[in-house]
Amino acid sequence: MLFQLAVVTPVALTILDLTDPARKKVSLGHMLSIPLRNPVTVAAVLGILVSASGVQVPDLLLDPMRLVAQLTVPLMLIIFGMSLNGLAVGQSAGDRVPTLLAVLLKSGIQPLLAWLLAAFVLHLDPFGTFVVVACAILPTGQNVVLYAVRYGVAQKIAQSAAVLTTLLAVPLLLGAAWILG
């Protein structure tokens, strides 16, 4: 997850920002500053640096961070619900195939690849394999919807994929737990 937040997200946001048709001219300084303007990326990188340095953060600073951390899941669920406002159940014909492909890749292919890698490449024990598969089954994150809204691209597809992968997550997790023991 840290790899996604500290590496994949900054690269993806930089690419999205650079391909924005409203942007006329891109300077090197602007391009390098894109990852620094995402607070989630900055927090992930700072967390990695503090952890790697072995510095003990005083409780006076750590307690408010713990409080915010405890709020993240409920807040993300609220934001997810808010992002569904205006989502139509029926999609245009042009959005159905990309949505179904995104759901198939996220809820089917990704967990299958995770299982293959965990079991046969990394040779993880059964519990470790289940953890990897369970993480792969988790639904499309709210961050995908937020990026789609931020850049005005494929918002309905992102919202629909998030809803469908969320609905599929529970039965898939139960199935993975049953199959993987």
Side-chain angles (χ1 to χ4, degrees):
M1 287 186 204
L2 279 176
F3 178 75
Q4 178 187 356
L5 292 174
V7 178
V8 176
T9 297
V11 170
L13 291 178
T14 300
I15 291 169
L16 285 169
D17 212 41
L18 293 175
T19 58
D20 185 1
R23 180 162 303 288
K24 303 271 191 265
K25 185 177 171 184
V26 178
S27 69
L28 181 62
H30 172 78
M31 189 170 71
L32 294 175
S33 73
I34 292 171
L36 301 175
R37 288 185 272 136
N38 182 337
V40 175
T41 300
V42 172
V45 170
L46 288 174
I48 291 169
L49 292 174
V50 168
S51 180
S53 71
V55 172
Q56 292 294 327
V57 179
D59 284 339
L60 182 65
L61 295 175
L62 202 54
D63 286 344
M65 288 185 227
R66 285 186 185 125
L67 180 62
V68 171
Q70 291 171 350
L71 291 171
T72 56
V73 172
L75 285 176
M76 287 306 290
L77 289 172
I78 291 169
I79 292 169
F80 178 62
M82 291 169 56
S83 75
L84 299 178
N85 181 39
L87 178 65
V89 175
Q91 290 187 312
S92 67
D95 288 348
R96 284 189 193 121
V97 171
T99 300
L100 291 176
L101 180 62
V103 171
L104 175 67
L105 289 171
K106 177 65 183 100
S107 294
I109 304 301
Q110 183 175 339
L112 179 63
L113 289 175
W115 172 70
L116 290 171
L117 288 170
F120 300 109
V121 176
L122 300 173
H123 305 288
L124 297 180
D125 61 45
F127 180 73
T129 300
F130 171 71
V131 170
V132 169
V133 172
C135 286
I137 289 172
L138 292 175
T140 299
Q142 179 60 23
N143 53 352
V144 173
V145 176
L146 292 174
Y147 300 154
V149 170
R150 159 67 175 88
Y151 291 98
V153 177
Q155 294 174 36
K156 296 288 185 195
I157 294 170
Q159 289 173 323
S160 297
V163 169
L164 292 171
T165 58
T166 299
L167 292 173
L168 289 171
V170 171
L172 288 172
L173 285 168
L174 291 172
W178 181 66
I179 291 169
L180 298 173

